[in-house]
Amino acid sequence: QVQLVESGGGLVQAGGSLRLSCAASRSIFSFVAMGWYRQAPGKQRELVASITSGGSTDYADSVKGRFTISRDSPKNTVYLQMSSLKPEDTAVYYCNARLLLKALTYDYWGQGTQVTVSS
């Protein structure tokens, strides 16, 4: 079983920064990709940023240039550094890990961490 534990959310003023952490219960290189999603009230969950096992990254257009996804393999942890935060970044942020096993993919999710950006 895979466990993902997020931390680092909170309340911040617009223009501020936060760093989210996602600690995995196994080597992050066992996943084909890890990512951060967010869900705001009344909206669908959306991909914010992702990183593959090979190190390729991808970002939603709305966060490009402001957010950075990174990883620390010895700590089995993926980070999301968020800067120049805007009120529209307010959401619950979820860590995701995708496992590929015998040609099937399995998605695992953390419990979510609230990020609130005040104007």
Side-chain angles (χ1 to χ4, degrees), residues 3-84:
Q3 291 186 330
L4 303 172
V5 179
E6 300 125 333
S7 61
L11 173 64
V12 64
Q13 288 188 333
S17 299
L18 281 174
R19 188 179 78 160
L20 306 183
S21 300
C22 172
S25 59
R26 58 190 289 175
S27 171
I28 58 176
F29 290 116
S30 64
F31 305 113
V32 293
M34 294 188 71
W36 289 94
Y37 288 71
R38 67 186 180 187
Q39 188 166 20
K43 294 188 177 181
Q44 289 188 332
R45 189 173 296 189
E46 62 173 356
L47 176 66
V48 176
S50 64
I51 184 166
T52 68
S53 57
S56 298
T57 58
D58 192 25
Y59 297 91
D61 287 343
S62 59
V63 306
K64 282 181 181 177
R66 300 189 298 122
F67 291 11
T68 302
I69 189 169
S70 63
R71 61 191 179 188
D72 185 335
S73 55
K75 295 183 178 179
N76 292 331
T77 300
V78 173
Y79 302 99
L80 184 68
Q81 178 68 48
M82 306 184 293
S83 303
S84 302

